[in-house]
Amino acid sequence: MTITDDVKIQPNLLGKPLKHAVITSLKQKYESRMDDKIGLVIMILNAKVESMGRIISGVGSTNYKVQFDALTFYPKLLEIVCGIVVEITDFGAIVRIGPLDALLHLSQILDETLKSDVRAGIIIANSGKSLKLGTSIRAKITAVSLPQKTGGIKIAVTCRQPFLGADDWISKK
């Protein structure tokens, strides 16, 4: 995603090359932050900086107009995602989708009775299908809760639809 913004260069960065100072400031401002319009900013890739900045009296920093590229991830409702099971809990599985984790509740795995064995790191169905740590799955995002000032992003996924679930379940259909 390409973003245009004014960036403050703090006094401690003024002796550095301009592009280095701008990218450092952009990383501090944007990386690992969630924005409801652009999503989670994973990484600042590059920046084009106007050579003339503005000094604001009494502030001690300079401002520059910058256009930069950012690698972002924005989970969208009803999007199909691929993920890896990274944790088994009493209530389901935690699935890593890109840079974020999502909850796959027991009720959203299959249309059958399931047992969760946290110690063994496995969820087993009556049919013999199972989810364990490291299982690759395909799921649909059913809920996204963006953070309000505190707390992190919360994502819920389901596998209870055709062509969703563990990769080995899908390939056997």
Side-chain angles (χ1 to χ4, degrees), residues 104-122:
L104 176 59
H105 193 270
L106 279 174
S107 66
Q108 296 301 309
I109 297 174
L110 289 166
D111 290 327
E112 51 187 280
T113 305
L114 301 167
K115 286 191 267 182
S116 177
D117 186 344
V118 176
R119 283 189 177 186
I122 192 166

Side-chain angles (χ1 to χ4, degrees), residues 27-35 38-42:
K27 286 180 179 198
Q28 290 171 349
K29 183 176 181 179
Y30 284 97
E31 281 186 359
S32 300
R33 309 259 169 146
M34 185 67 191
D35 181 281
I38 62 175
L40 176 68
V41 178
I42 300 166

Side-chain angles (χ1 to χ4, degrees), residues 63-91:
N63 289 351
Y64 289 88
K65 191 91 159 159
V66 179
Q67 185 179 48
F68 63 97
D69 294 327
L71 178 62
T72 63
F73 177 74
Y74 197 99
K76 293 186 179 175
L77 199 58
L78 304 180
E79 177 180 14
I80 303 294
V81 293
C82 293
I84 302 289
V85 175
V86 293
E87 185 179 348
I88 299 294
T89 67
D90 289 329
F91 51 85

Side-chain angles (χ1 to χ4, degrees), residues 124-135:
I124 302 171
N126 288 342
S127 64
K129 293 179 180 177
S130 66
L131 283 181
K132 56 187 171 199
L133 294 177
T135 301

